[in-house]
Amino acid sequence: MAKYIFVTGGVTSSLGKGIFAASLAKLLQSKGYRVTIQKFDPYINVDPGTLNPYEHGECYVTDDGAETDLDLGHYERFLNIRTSQANNVTTGRVYQTVITKEREGAYLGKTVQVIPHITDEIKRRMLLLGQTGEYDIVITELGGTVGDIEAQPYVETVRQIRWELGEHDTLICHLTLIPYLKSAKELKTKPTQHSVKELQALGVMPDILVCRTETPLSDDIRKKLALFCNVDIDSVIQALDVDTIYQVPIEMQGENLDTTVLHKLHLPDINPSNLDKWKEFLNKLHHPRGEVRIGLVGKYIELQDAYKSIHESFIHGGASNNVEVIVEPISSEHIDEDNVVDKLKHLDGILVAPGFGNRGIEGKIEAIKYARENNVPFFGICLGMQCAVIEFARNVLGMKTAHSTEMVPDTKFPVIDMMEEQKKIVKKGGTMRLGAYNCDLIPGTLAQKLYGSNHISERHRHRFEFNNAYLEQFEKAGMIATGKNPDSGLVEIVEIPSHPFFIGVQFHPELKSTVVTPHPVFVGFVKAAMQYKNNQKKTAEMKNAVVA
Ligand code: GLN
């Protein structure tokens, strides 16, 4: 049977529970344990698929088509494993199950209550992955902060699981903040003491305290925290701010977190930790030999979390090319025909982001026109690919009013149109074309060379699609469909072979890039940006030489 580690958070939100959980999992995995992570979110949406990125950051999609919390992206990127619907549960999903069962008569004669019915359903889901036999350790991250009304059933379930399985098979890590008060020149432990009290009032005693702090914890502070929060002194773990999330496992190892956890769970600590590949990646990340500047053209640019996986994929793709990728967010709403050159001329590559709705569309199309006409490396993802198709239709094929029927339902040239199977769908939640689909690549094309394979599988999240009625016209004029779904014939990839690097993909490659396996299209795009930068430099030098 698997062992269960629970990660709770106190004092404030945004302490990085997801990164901590992923880092702990990485350390345990590096010692040979089979680990997975799941997240329980206390909100009432059944999944985050219906949430605006401003509310909840990016919606992460798994192979099995679940729309999930972005922390699952961290889990996959750190562990190089695949997660699924079972790895992300919300209050909405729990209640939906219980209410459906109630209507089916599963509780006939009984009053259905938070305790035991909701907590039983949470418990069933918390234990599920550990019962598959696939994992030695299951880490469960509880969303929200201890003390929130909506988090209570989850904390109560953790209490029950601990009571049932005992303290050798369960472990509770509590993440908290130790603020530094400048005026007093002191780190303050009181908020942590209060949040531990809050947990204890619910019957849960943390085993390990993980303390986020801007300055190192002295031995005195560690002792004080241990004494007042009722944990062992070596269970006070310092989590200093670091410049990259990928440094966190190394910091946690420095605090002996893995050893402490294995000891407390009565698990053998025999294998040396193998973090060679991780350290090699970190070394490249910390010692880049150059830099490239990529414009990320989108409409949610104020919030980094909205394009989380894209940012992380550039970190992986940059490290694998030994360069730092500076990603410059550019609001597509502020790009127009008159300012496009000024806004984009300093970039070595342009990525047009995924998205929904009309806002900022014309700016995206302008940016693509600029990239296409000036041989600037271009990478379009989902809506970004659709915009590349619209741009080509308008400016190369002369269909001046071409559009997607998402923006203009009665457009004369619907080059992007709703997929047939989507037309009858009325419910919004979980009804897009979601998850992994196969794609066949044409040998000799950019895509096929990048992937080094003729058959790939990538994850999707969309309702609209390239309109195959126009395909012949596009291909004659130089935009080729180089990747198609073998079953439906849907176009998954478009390219312009006469351009040095112009690729649009209907799927989301950013969801599959990990530290150990950076995504080939990101790797190739960064490389193309490096080449473009070098060529620009050479051209400038030649011009200077002629002038001299
Ligand atoms: N809005 C587009 C569609 O639904 C693109 C979606 C996306 O970029 N994820 O097809």
Side-chain angles (χ1 to χ4, degrees):
M1 203 199 73
K3 308 249 180 188
Y4 293 90
I5 300 176
F6 297 94
V7 178
T8 59
V11 180
T12 166
S13 57
S14 305
L15 284 180
K17 288 196 298 280
I19 301 295
F20 168 76
S23 301
L24 172 55
K26 184 78 221 168
L27 291 182
L28 299 170
Q29 187 194 51
S30 80
K31 289 197 161 178
Y33 285 101
R34 299 169 307 157
V35 192
T36 192
I37 320 180
Q38 52 187 3
K39 179 158 193 202
F40 282 65
D41 273 311
Y43 54 75
I44 295 171
N45 304 64
V46 171
D47 62 42
T50 51
L51 291 174
N52 184 316
Y54 283 126
E55 289 274 319
H56 196 257
E58 163 189 278
C59 173
Y60 190 77
V61 180
T62 54
D63 272 342
D64 66 346
E67 296 180 286
T68 73
D69 187 82
L70 58 77
D71 272 338
L72 271 75
H74 292 309
Y75 308 162
E76 291 203 2
R77 288 187 282 269
F78 273 55
L79 298 180
N80 214 38
I81 59 164
R82 296 282 167 248
T83 56
S84 70
Q85 180 65 75
N87 295 75
N88 192 196
V89 175
T90 67
T91 294
R93 197 168 285 276
V94 170
Y95 272 79
Q96 192 184 45
T97 310
V98 171
I99 292 169
T100 306
K101 274 170 73 181
E102 187 275 334
R103 291 290 82 187
E104 287 165 359
Y107 312 106
L108 275 186
K110 291 263 181 285
T111 309
V112 181
Q113 292 178 298
V114 173
I115 299 172
H117 302 101
I118 294 298
T119 47
D120 278 354
E121 177 59 18
I122 295 175
K123 194 186 301 173
R124 187 183 71 79
R125 289 175 180 267
M126 276 184 177
L127 299 178
L128 211 57
L129 285 173
Q131 292 159 342
T132 59
E134 286 175 46
Y135 306 105
D136 305 309
I137 301 167
V138 177
I139 301 182
T140 302
E141 178 194 347
L142 296 193
T145 308
V146 169
D148 296 347
I149 292 178
E150 51 194 22
Q152 275 186 17
Y154 294 95
V155 180
E156 164 60 13
T157 311
V158 171
R159 187 195 66 73
Q160 292 185 18
I161 291 178
R162 179 141 174 113
W163 183 84
E164 283 167 20
L165 301 187
E167 57 183 34
H168 295 168
D169 288 337
T170 56
L171 189 87
I172 290 147
C173 298
H174 186 59
L175 222 82
T176 128
L177 177 72
I178 315 287
Y180 180 77
L181 279 198
K182 262 197 200 133
S183 52
K185 294 198 178 60
E186 255 183 345
L187 283 168
K188 290 293 180 191
T189 64
K190 198 72 87 186
T192 298
Q193 292 180 44
H194 281 298
S195 88
V196 169
K197 253 199 203 127
E198 193 100 42
L199 254 186
Q200 287 174 339
L202 298 168
V204 172
M205 192 84 89
D207 301 290
I208 290 182
L209 268 189
V210 184
C211 306
R212 283 295 305 272
T213 170
E214 283 173 32
T215 50
L217 304 179
S218 65
D219 283 349
D220 282 348
I221 293 265
R222 286 182 193 249
K223 266 188 216 146
K224 190 171 170 186
L225 281 163
L227 178 66
F228 291 125
C229 299
N230 224 7
V231 297
D232 298 333
I233 185 119
D234 59 1
S235 298
V236 177
I237 305 290
Q238 161 186 292
L240 264 180
D241 290 358
V242 278
D243 57 1
T244 157
I245 54 171
Y246 298 108
Q247 184 64 31
V248 179
I250 308 296
E251 297 294 313
M252 292 297 100
Q253 193 179 38
E255 289 283 298
N256 296 321
L257 175 69
D258 42 353
T259 316
T260 307
V261 164
L262 290 175
H263 174 74
K264 284 189 182 291
L265 284 174
H266 289 240
L267 284 170
D269 189 4
I270 12 183
N271 297 335
S273 145
N274 180 357
L275 284 169
D276 294 352
K277 281 194 176 152
W278 191 270
K279 286 182 180 160
E280 198 183 303
F281 160 79
L282 269 181
N283 192 31
K284 286 182 169 187
L285 191 62
H286 285 139
H287 303 100
R289 291 194 213 125
E291 61 175 50
V292 288
R293 187 172 281 272
I294 305 284
L296 170 57
V297 179
K299 66 173 179 178
Y300 305 114
I301 50 134
E302 302 87 345
L303 183 77
Q304 177 137 351
D305 273 0
Y307 302 120
K308 192 80 201 164
S309 295
I310 292 178
H311 285 284
E312 299 307 321
S313 301
F314 274 126
I315 293 175
H316 311 153
S320 105
N321 278 295
N322 292 300
V323 288
E324 180 185 357
V325 180
I326 300 166
V327 179
E328 185 178 316
I330 299 171
S331 164
S332 55
E333 278 182 282
H334 299 119
I335 300 178
D336 57 38
E337 202 183 337
D338 299 329
N339 67 18
V340 63
V341 176
D342 268 353
K343 286 209 181 270
L344 308 182
K345 64 174 188 286
H346 58 293
L347 299 169
D348 307 316
I350 294 171
L351 185 146
V352 175
F356 295 83
N358 202 20
R359 187 161 66 85
I361 281 289
E362 293 304 322
K364 288 183 174 176
I365 293 170
E366 277 305 333
I368 295 166
K369 179 167 186 268
Y370 168 84
R372 182 177 57 76
E373 291 181 343
N374 294 283
N375 285 335
V376 183
F378 167 78
F379 185 6
I381 299 183
C382 208
L383 183 61
M385 171 265 200
Q386 298 177 353
C387 287
V389 169
I390 297 168
E391 191 279 321
F392 197 86
R394 287 186 188 176
N395 300 321
V396 179
L397 296 174
M399 306 172 186
K400 290 290 167 222
T401 55
H403 223 312
S404 161
T405 52
E406 178 181 2
M407 326 304 163
V408 180
D410 59 353
T411 172
K412 192 171 163 208
F413 304 106
V415 288
I416 301 292
D417 199 4
M418 188 175 264
M419 283 175 280
E420 222 26 67
E421 68 266 27
Q422 284 286 329
K423 290 186 178 156
K424 37 193 184 298
I425 292 174
V426 278
K427 282 192 181 166
K428 291 279 183 250
T431 56
M432 281 187 250
R433 180 173 181 243
L434 290 166
Y437 284 91
N438 291 330
C439 174
D440 287 351
L441 306 179
I442 299 178
T445 58
L446 173 62
Q448 193 265 352
K449 284 185 203 149
L450 291 172
Y451 280 95
S453 165
N454 294 352
H455 307 284
I456 58 165
S457 165
E458 291 279 8
R459 298 181 193 169
H460 298 68
R461 184 171 187 250
H462 64 120
R463 290 187 206 280
F464 295 81
E465 175 63 48
F466 184 96
N467 184 345
N468 270 327
Y470 292 94
L471 185 57
E472 212 183 306
Q473 271 174 280
F474 273 79
E475 296 206 318
K476 270 195 192 137
M479 181 178 266
I480 315 289
T482 60
K484 281 190 190 166
N485 178 272
D487 309 309
S488 59
L490 292 179
V491 172
E492 305 283 28
I493 308 178
V494 295
E495 289 176 28
I496 299 181
S498 60
H499 185 287
F501 191 104
F502 190 105
I503 189 164
V505 296
Q506 183 56 77
F507 46 80
H508 290 268
E510 73 277 19
L511 303 177
K512 283 180 75 173
S513 186
T514 74
V515 167
V516 179
T517 50
H519 195 285
V521 181
F522 278 89
V523 174
F525 180 51
V526 171
K527 191 181 242 164
M530 288 158 70
Q531 271 158 7
Y532 177 81
K533 186 177 172 175
N534 279 340
N535 291 344
Q536 292 292 97
K537 209 170 122 194
K538 274 189 208 143
T539 316
E541 280 165 7
M542 266 159 59
K543 264 192 203 152
N544 283 345
V546 172
V547 172

PDB file of all heavy atoms in Angstrom, residues 87-103:
ATOM      1  N   ASN A  87      -5.858  13.224 -10.719  1.00  0.00           N
ATOM      2  CA  ASN A  87      -4.890  14.029  -9.970  1.00  0.00           C
ATOM      3  C   ASN A  87      -5.417  15.414  -9.585  1.00  0.00           C
ATOM      4  O   ASN A  87      -4.705  16.186  -8.936  1.00  0.00           O
ATOM      5  CB  ASN A  87      -3.598  14.217 -10.782  1.00  0.00           C
ATOM      6  CG  ASN A  87      -2.872  12.907 -11.010  1.00  0.00           C
ATOM      7  OD1 ASN A  87      -3.294  12.104 -11.826  1.00  0.00           O
ATOM      8  ND2 ASN A  87      -1.803  12.670 -10.281  1.00  0.00           N
ATOM      9  N   ASN A  88      -6.616  15.757 -10.008  1.00  0.00           N
ATOM     10  CA  ASN A  88      -7.158  17.068  -9.639  1.00  0.00           C
ATOM     11  C   ASN A  88      -8.648  16.958  -9.324  1.00  0.00           C
ATOM     12  O   ASN A  88      -9.446  16.574 -10.180  1.00  0.00           O
ATOM     13  CB  ASN A  88      -6.921  18.070 -10.781  1.00  0.00           C
ATOM     14  CG  ASN A  88      -7.178  19.514 -10.382  1.00  0.00           C
ATOM     15  OD1 ASN A  88      -7.326  20.403 -11.225  1.00  0.00           O
ATOM     16  ND2 ASN A  88      -7.241  19.807  -9.095  1.00  0.00           N
ATOM     17  N   VAL A  89      -8.978  17.250  -8.085  1.00  0.00           N
ATOM     18  CA  VAL A  89     -10.363  17.129  -7.634  1.00  0.00           C
ATOM     19  C   VAL A  89     -10.792  18.482  -7.072  1.00  0.00           C
ATOM     20  O   VAL A  89     -10.014  19.138  -6.388  1.00  0.00           O
ATOM     21  CB  VAL A  89     -10.458  16.038  -6.542  1.00  0.00           C
ATOM     22  CG1 VAL A  89     -11.860  15.957  -5.962  1.00  0.00           C
ATOM     23  CG2 VAL A  89     -10.042  14.680  -7.106  1.00  0.00           C
ATOM     24  N   THR A  90     -12.020  18.891  -7.379  1.00  0.00           N
ATOM     25  CA  THR A  90     -12.523  20.143  -6.806  1.00  0.00           C
ATOM     26  C   THR A  90     -13.734  19.832  -5.924  1.00  0.00           C
ATOM     27  O   THR A  90     -14.344  18.759  -6.036  1.00  0.00           O
ATOM     28  CB  THR A  90     -12.995  21.109  -7.906  1.00  0.00           C
ATOM     29  OG1 THR A  90     -14.153  20.531  -8.520  1.00  0.00           O
ATOM     30  CG2 THR A  90     -11.925  21.359  -8.948  1.00  0.00           C
ATOM     31  N   THR A  91     -14.093  20.808  -5.091  1.00  0.00           N
ATOM     32  CA  THR A  91     -15.304  20.659  -4.285  1.00  0.00           C
ATOM     33  C   THR A  91     -16.506  20.416  -5.194  1.00  0.00           C
ATOM     34  O   THR A  91     -17.376  19.595  -4.894  1.00  0.00           O
ATOM     35  CB  THR A  91     -15.515  21.920  -3.428  1.00  0.00           C
ATOM     36  OG1 THR A  91     -14.442  21.983  -2.496  1.00  0.00           O
ATOM     37  CG2 THR A  91     -16.836  21.894  -2.684  1.00  0.00           C
ATOM     38  N   GLY A  92     -16.533  21.127  -6.333  1.00  0.00           N
ATOM     39  CA  GLY A  92     -17.647  20.960  -7.274  1.00  0.00           C
ATOM     40  C   GLY A  92     -17.783  19.517  -7.718  1.00  0.00           C
ATOM     41  O   GLY A  92     -18.879  18.957  -7.766  1.00  0.00           O
ATOM     42  N   ARG A  93     -16.657  18.898  -8.047  1.00  0.00           N
ATOM     43  CA  ARG A  93     -16.680  17.507  -8.521  1.00  0.00           C
ATOM     44  C   ARG A  93     -17.143  16.560  -7.405  1.00  0.00           C
ATOM     45  O   ARG A  93     -17.898  15.614  -7.636  1.00  0.00           O
ATOM     46  CB  ARG A  93     -15.291  17.116  -9.024  1.00  0.00           C
ATOM     47  CG  ARG A  93     -15.259  15.897  -9.886  1.00  0.00           C
ATOM     48  CD  ARG A  93     -13.911  15.745 -10.578  1.00  0.00           C
ATOM     49  NE  ARG A  93     -13.739  16.673 -11.677  1.00  0.00           N
ATOM     50  CZ  ARG A  93     -14.186  16.454 -12.912  1.00  0.00           C
ATOM     51  NH1 ARG A  93     -14.818  15.343 -13.200  1.00  0.00           N
ATOM     52  NH2 ARG A  93     -13.995  17.346 -13.871  1.00  0.00           N
ATOM     53  N   VAL A  94     -16.678  16.828  -6.181  1.00  0.00           N
ATOM     54  CA  VAL A  94     -17.057  15.981  -5.046  1.00  0.00           C
ATOM     55  C   VAL A  94     -18.572  16.065  -4.813  1.00  0.00           C
ATOM     56  O   VAL A  94     -19.256  15.039  -4.717  1.00  0.00           O
ATOM     57  CB  VAL A  94     -16.284  16.417  -3.776  1.00  0.00           C
ATOM     58  CG1 VAL A  94     -16.839  15.722  -2.535  1.00  0.00           C
ATOM     59  CG2 VAL A  94     -14.790  16.125  -3.928  1.00  0.00           C
ATOM     60  N   TYR A  95     -19.084  17.290  -4.766  1.00  0.00           N
ATOM     61  CA  TYR A  95     -20.531  17.457  -4.539  1.00  0.00           C
ATOM     62  C   TYR A  95     -21.342  16.872  -5.683  1.00  0.00           C
ATOM     63  O   TYR A  95     -22.390  16.260  -5.476  1.00  0.00           O
ATOM     64  CB  TYR A  95     -20.879  18.944  -4.345  1.00  0.00           C
ATOM     65  CG  TYR A  95     -20.767  19.378  -2.896  1.00  0.00           C
ATOM     66  CD1 TYR A  95     -19.533  19.650  -2.320  1.00  0.00           C
ATOM     67  CD2 TYR A  95     -21.896  19.494  -2.086  1.00  0.00           C
ATOM     68  CE1 TYR A  95     -19.416  20.028  -0.992  1.00  0.00           C
ATOM     69  CE2 TYR A  95     -21.800  19.867  -0.752  1.00  0.00           C
ATOM     70  CZ  TYR A  95     -20.559  20.133  -0.211  1.00  0.00           C
ATOM     71  OH  TYR A  95     -20.454  20.499   1.109  1.00  0.00           O
ATOM     72  N   GLN A  96     -20.841  17.055  -6.919  1.00  0.00           N
ATOM     73  CA  GLN A  96     -21.554  16.518  -8.079  1.00  0.00           C
ATOM     74  C   GLN A  96     -21.725  14.997  -7.940  1.00  0.00           C
ATOM     75  O   GLN A  96     -22.816  14.468  -8.158  1.00  0.00           O
ATOM     76  CB  GLN A  96     -20.750  16.847  -9.348  1.00  0.00           C
ATOM     77  CG  GLN A  96     -21.508  16.600 -10.628  1.00  0.00           C
ATOM     78  CD  GLN A  96     -20.610  16.867 -11.837  1.00  0.00           C
ATOM     79  OE1 GLN A  96     -19.447  16.447 -11.873  1.00  0.00           O
ATOM     80  NE2 GLN A  96     -21.131  17.568 -12.812  1.00  0.00           N
ATOM     81  N   THR A  97     -20.665  14.322  -7.504  1.00  0.00           N
ATOM     82  CA  THR A  97     -20.735  12.865  -7.335  1.00  0.00           C
ATOM     83  C   THR A  97     -21.745  12.502  -6.250  1.00  0.00           C
ATOM     84  O   THR A  97     -22.588  11.607  -6.427  1.00  0.00           O
ATOM     85  CB  THR A  97     -19.343  12.301  -6.932  1.00  0.00           C
ATOM     86  OG1 THR A  97     -18.390  12.805  -7.832  1.00  0.00           O
ATOM     87  CG2 THR A  97     -19.320  10.793  -6.938  1.00  0.00           C
ATOM     88  N   VAL A  98     -21.650  13.207  -5.118  1.00  0.00           N
ATOM     89  CA  VAL A  98     -22.527  12.870  -3.990  1.00  0.00           C
ATOM     90  C   VAL A  98     -23.992  13.149  -4.348  1.00  0.00           C
ATOM     91  O   VAL A  98     -24.880  12.323  -4.073  1.00  0.00           O
ATOM     92  CB  VAL A  98     -22.092  13.656  -2.726  1.00  0.00           C
ATOM     93  CG1 VAL A  98     -23.116  13.494  -1.601  1.00  0.00           C
ATOM     94  CG2 VAL A  98     -20.716  13.184  -2.264  1.00  0.00           C
ATOM     95  N   ILE A  99     -24.232  14.275  -5.016  1.00  0.00           N
ATOM     96  CA  ILE A  99     -25.621  14.624  -5.349  1.00  0.00           C
ATOM     97  C   ILE A  99     -26.173  13.636  -6.401  1.00  0.00           C
ATOM     98  O   ILE A  99     -27.329  13.206  -6.318  1.00  0.00           O
ATOM     99  CB  ILE A  99     -25.735  16.093  -5.813  1.00  0.00           C
ATOM    100  CG1 ILE A  99     -25.446  17.011  -4.605  1.00  0.00           C
ATOM    101  CG2 ILE A  99     -27.114  16.407  -6.387  1.00  0.00           C
ATOM    102  CD1 ILE A  99     -25.268  18.471  -4.931  1.00  0.00           C
ATOM    103  N   THR A 100     -25.342  13.270  -7.363  1.00  0.00           N
ATOM    104  CA  THR A 100     -25.797  12.276  -8.358  1.00  0.00           C
ATOM    105  C   THR A 100     -26.162  10.959  -7.660  1.00  0.00           C
ATOM    106  O   THR A 100     -27.202  10.344  -7.939  1.00  0.00           O
ATOM    107  CB  THR A 100     -24.693  12.034  -9.417  1.00  0.00           C
ATOM    108  OG1 THR A 100     -24.334  13.280  -9.964  1.00  0.00           O
ATOM    109  CG2 THR A 100     -25.155  11.098 -10.523  1.00  0.00           C
ATOM    110  N   LYS A 101     -25.295  10.546  -6.711  1.00  0.00           N
ATOM    111  CA  LYS A 101     -25.572   9.298  -5.991  1.00  0.00           C
ATOM    112  C   LYS A 101     -26.869   9.408  -5.185  1.00  0.00           C
ATOM    113  O   LYS A 101     -27.667   8.468  -5.099  1.00  0.00           O
ATOM    114  CB  LYS A 101     -24.397   8.965  -5.048  1.00  0.00           C
ATOM    115  CG  LYS A 101     -23.281   8.192  -5.748  1.00  0.00           C
ATOM    116  CD  LYS A 101     -22.031   8.068  -4.916  1.00  0.00           C
ATOM    117  CE  LYS A 101     -22.145   7.095  -3.771  1.00  0.00           C
ATOM    118  NZ  LYS A 101     -20.884   7.028  -2.977  1.00  0.00           N
ATOM    119  N   GLU A 102     -27.060  10.585  -4.584  1.00  0.00           N
ATOM    120  CA  GLU A 102     -28.280  10.790  -3.783  1.00  0.00           C
ATOM    121  C   GLU A 102     -29.527  10.625  -4.654  1.00  0.00           C
ATOM    122  O   GLU A 102     -30.487   9.956  -4.284  1.00  0.00           O
ATOM    123  CB  GLU A 102     -28.245  12.189  -3.148  1.00  0.00           C
ATOM    124  CG  GLU A 102     -29.375  12.477  -2.153  1.00  0.00           C
ATOM    125  CD  GLU A 102     -30.656  12.976  -2.795  1.00  0.00           C
ATOM    126  OE1 GLU A 102     -30.600  13.570  -3.896  1.00  0.00           O
ATOM    127  OE2 GLU A 102     -31.727  12.767  -2.215  1.00  0.00           O
ATOM    128  N   ARG A 103     -29.447  11.204  -5.905  1.00  0.00           N
ATOM    129  CA  ARG A 103     -30.597  11.096  -6.825  1.00  0.00           C
ATOM    130  C   ARG A 103     -30.809   9.644  -7.264  1.00  0.00           C
ATOM    131  O   ARG A 103     -31.915   9.220  -7.553  1.00  0.00           O
ATOM    132  CB  ARG A 103     -30.386  11.985  -8.063  1.00  0.00           C
ATOM    133  CG  ARG A 103     -30.437  13.475  -7.808  1.00  0.00           C
ATOM    134  CD  ARG A 103     -31.808  14.012  -7.475  1.00  0.00           C
ATOM    135  NE  ARG A 103     -32.199  13.857  -6.081  1.00  0.00           N
ATOM    136  CZ  ARG A 103     -33.406  14.143  -5.609  1.00  0.00           C
ATOM    137  NH1 ARG A 103     -34.358  14.580  -6.402  1.00  0.00           N
ATOM    138  NH2 ARG A 103     -33.684  13.996  -4.335  1.00  0.00           N
TER     139      ARG A 103
END
